Amino acid sequence: GSAGLFCFDLDGNKLWDSDLGKAQVSASLGEGSSPVVHDGKLVIVRDHKGQSTIQALNAKTGKLLWKVNRNEGNTWATPAVVKAAGRTQVITTASGKVRSYDIETGKVIWKTTGLTGNAIPCPVVERDVVYCMSGYKGYSLMAIPLDARGDISGSDKILWTKKRGTPYVPSPLLYDGLLVYTQSNQALYSAVSARSGKTHIDRERLKGMRSVYGSPVGAAGRVYLTDRSGTTLVLKRSRELNILARNELGEQVVSSPALVGEQLFLRGRKHLHAIAQEKDLN
């Protein structure tokens, strides 16, 4: 956050640091947008009550490549970087506009209004479409083609939209054409066809789960979702709600699961948990 941006090698030696300046975040909250590294460039979005910015640095040296001011208030969404329509695009969600920037120059390729305030969920991309959503004081989901240009607000260029059931803190999961997400910070589960926008599961309650901050992840035809009490549900990646297993860590979890190979990592309040079949741990 406001302490700066730091780069270390894998032996723990600091290579460079950059003072990003103080962010003026309201409600005593901190900064939430993670830096993204792509093709030797590091991109960081800083939307706050002061002058919001997006900037790109050389990932090896920390040298500033470009910096662009943004007319935005508090947002916490990490951008998505994708090669599409002849350019590498940096897609950012925010209260005012969704914007796509050219990673080489910082120039806006396309933009649109349509999300609610306090954007947190990350954009997700499949093939030639990006899906952007938010869920604070309202709900919004937009499917936007990556070949868009200019201001497409309210136009038929936007492929489809939805106005209910979207997350506040968690990001969605886009898994082989199926877009899954939870409503607000609640254990209400939806699944939508990414191409058509058709709803298959509409805010069905996940029994035994409470408040959800972590994002769902997917692998091996399954969706893994953990709530703040440390309960993890394993669901079948399906157009119908099909719960395969329920597991308890007995520890608060507010982070998203991480998948590496055949292991699942969960960061709890006091412990880091690595979960795998016994044969995979030997």
Side-chain angles (χ1 to χ4, degrees):
S2 293
L5 188 62
F6 300 85
C7 177
F8 292 82
D9 66 19
L10 296 183
D11 294 318
N13 302 306
K14 187 171 74 172
L15 303 180
W16 57 262
D17 62 76
S18 177
D19 184 351
L20 301 176
K22 180 69 176 177
Q24 303 171 29
V25 185
S26 64
S28 300
L29 299 173
E31 298 167 65
S33 180
S34 301
V36 178
V37 176
H38 178 85
D39 197 21
K41 297 178 178 65
L42 185 150
V43 179
I44 181 75
V45 175
R46 306 184 80 222
D47 287 346
H48 57 103
K49 292 179 67 177
Q51 179 57 68
S52 297
T53 61
I54 179 173
Q55 53 192 291
L57 299 88
N58 183 301
K60 283 189 175 181
T61 66
K63 178 183 177 182
L64 181 66
L65 301 176
W66 52 261
K67 182 177 181 179
V68 176
N69 289 342
R70 287 164 58 85
N71 182 23
E72 290 293 346
N74 295 320
T75 61
W76 294 269
T78 299
V81 179
V82 58
K83 290 184 178 180
R87 300 185 190 183
T88 298
Q89 302 184 32
V90 181
I91 301 164
T92 66
T93 55
S95 305
K97 289 183 172 67
V98 178
R99 299 176 182 86
S100 169
Y101 295 88
D102 188 321
I103 199 172
E104 299 296 334
T105 65
K107 292 183 177 179
V108 174
I109 300 171
W110 55 262
K111 60 184 178 181
T112 179
T113 57
L115 295 186
T116 67
N118 289 10
I120 298 177
C122 302
V124 290
V125 176
E126 189 168 78
R127 290 187 287 185
D128 55 353
V129 180
V130 60
Y131 303 88
C132 301
M133 59 183 68
S134 60
Y136 177 72
K137 292 186 177 180
Y139 306 103
S140 178
L141 163 56
M142 297 188 293
I144 305 168
L146 291 171
D147 63 357
R149 293 291 183 271
D151 192 341
I152 60 171
S153 301
S155 73
D156 59 5
K157 190 69 176 176
I158 298 172
L159 301 175
W160 54 264
T161 64
K162 290 190 180 295
K163 297 295 182 183
R164 64 183 187 182
T166 50
Y168 177 30
V169 171
S171 293
L173 168 67
L174 181 50
Y175 188 178
D176 289 344
L178 195 66
L179 187 63
V180 301
Y181 49 88
T182 51
Q183 175 173 295
S184 188
N185 297 329
Q186 303 167 288
L188 298 174
Y189 184 81
S190 295
V192 173
S193 172
R195 268 296 155 188
S196 66
K198 181 179 178 180
T199 297
H200 301 292
I201 303 173
D202 186 12
R203 298 171 295 164
E204 291 197 33
R205 183 166 297 279
L206 300 174
K207 295 181 180 179
M209 296 198 84
R210 305 176 189 172
S211 175
V212 178
Y213 270 22
S215 306
V217 297
R222 297 171 175 84
V223 175
Y224 300 85
L225 182 63
T226 302
D227 74 357
R228 296 179 70 189
S229 72
T231 298
T232 298
L233 287 188
V234 184
L235 302 94
K236 185 177 180 180
R237 181 216 162 276
S238 173
R239 295 180 178 182
E240 298 179 351
L241 186 62
N242 187 340
I243 298 174
L244 302 175
R246 176 181 284 103
N247 304 282
E248 305 281 349
L249 281 179
E251 177 177 1
Q252 186 183 55
V253 176
V254 296
S255 61
S256 304
L259 294 165
V260 182
E262 295 186 354
Q263 295 187 54
L264 178 72
F265 292 92
L266 285 164
R267 186 182 66 187
R269 186 175 181 87
K270 295 182 178 180
H271 301 89
L272 176 64
H273 304 262
I275 299 169
Q277 291 186 4
E278 188 172 358
K279 67 179 180 63
D280 298 324
L281 299 175
N282 295 329

